[in-house]
Amino acid sequence: MYRFAKAALNLTGRASRQVAVRHASSDLSPEFHAKYGTPLLIAGATFCTAVWGYVITSTGIVWNLSPVGKVQPKEWKE
């Protein structure tokens, strides 16, 4: 178990160093997010709203939100 934990920590340390080096040398991320971030967020929110609007109004799903008044006790049989 000790060898497994030591190997896992070694892998995570190595992976975190690789990610740090990758992010330090990348100059494309800030430009992409500055250029396309807001339109992508708006498009995603619009798509999500449209899909849920369709599901709620057109699919015919019965949304039984509250069972109050709908559940009746059965008659007692002797």
Side-chain angles (χ1 to χ4, degrees):
M1 187 68 180
Y2 174 73
R3 281 186 260 157
F4 175 74
K6 186 177 176 182
L9 288 174
N10 189 20
L11 287 177
T12 58
R14 189 180 313 149
S16 64
R17 282 191 298 274
Q18 288 175 350
V19 169
V21 169
R22 245 185 260 143
H23 283 293
S25 64
S26 175
D27 294 331
L28 298 176
S29 292
E31 293 175 10
F32 178 82
H33 290 295
K35 191 173 182 181
Y36 301 111
T38 305
L40 278 174
L41 182 66
I42 292 170
T46 303
F47 177 77
C48 183
T49 304
V51 168
W52 274 109
Y54 172 77
V55 167
I56 290 171
T57 59
S58 300
T59 57
I61 295 175
V62 178
W63 303 93
N64 292 323
L65 298 177
S66 175
V68 175
K70 297 176 184 172
V71 178
Q72 299 290 332
K74 291 183 179 179
E75 297 264 340
W76 179 260
K77 295 180 183 177
E78 295 216 20

